[in-house]
Amino acid sequence: QVQLVESGGGLVQPGGSLRLSCVASGFTFSSYVMKWYRQAPEKERELVAGIIGSFTNYADSVKGRFTISRDNAKNMVYLQMNSLKPEDTAVYYCMADSRYSHYWGKGTLVTVSS
């Protein structure tokens, strides 16, 4: 059974940091591109960052502030978020992507507010 479980969300003040984690099971983790998406209220879901091997990519809105990483031995993917802004408030989703299939977690809420 495929599972992606996110954790680490919460309430943080502007300028603060959070580290999101996602643990995967039920598929060959190392073969998948791992991505973080987010969906703010009344907005479409958007790609935040992706990683395969040592290659990473980021949305322009988070470049220089967010860092995606993965640990294939632990089936984990992380999103370190620094210098958070109110506009980063969203539900953040972990996603595993391959040519033939993709899987989603249920999300973790990040709220940036003073």
Side-chain angles (χ1 to χ4, degrees):
Q1 181 182 0
V2 172
Q3 277 194 314
L4 292 170
V5 180
E6 303 94 337
S7 61
L11 174 64
V12 63
Q13 292 188 343
S17 297
L18 280 177
R19 188 195 195 204
L20 304 184
S21 300
C22 173
V23 59
S25 60
F27 62 98
T28 307
F29 180 80
S30 60
S31 298
Y32 282 69
V33 179
M34 295 304 298
K35 301 178 180 179
W36 286 97
Y37 280 79
R38 68 185 180 187
Q39 187 165 18
E42 300 183 357
K43 292 190 176 180
E44 293 190 356
R45 194 170 295 190
E46 63 172 350
L47 176 64
V48 175
I51 183 169
I52 180 72
S54 59
F55 178 78
T56 58
N57 67 291
Y58 298 92
D60 288 343
S61 59
V62 306
K63 279 181 182 176
R65 300 188 298 121
F66 290 11
T67 303
I68 188 171
S69 61
R70 66 190 294 166
D71 185 336
N72 288 342
K74 296 181 179 179
N75 284 8
M76 297 283 294
V77 61
Y78 307 96
L79 186 68
Q80 177 66 44
M81 306 186 296
N82 299 329
S83 302
L84 283 161
K85 305 174 181 180
E87 52 263 43
D88 295 317
T89 295
V91 177
Y92 284 72
Y93 297 91
C94 175
M95 189 252 202
D97 193 17
S98 78
R99 181 177 180 181
Y100 303 104
S101 59
H102 57 270
Y103 310 112
W104 290 92
K106 293 184 178 181
T108 185
L109 177 63
V110 172
T111 303
V112 184
S113 175
S114 54

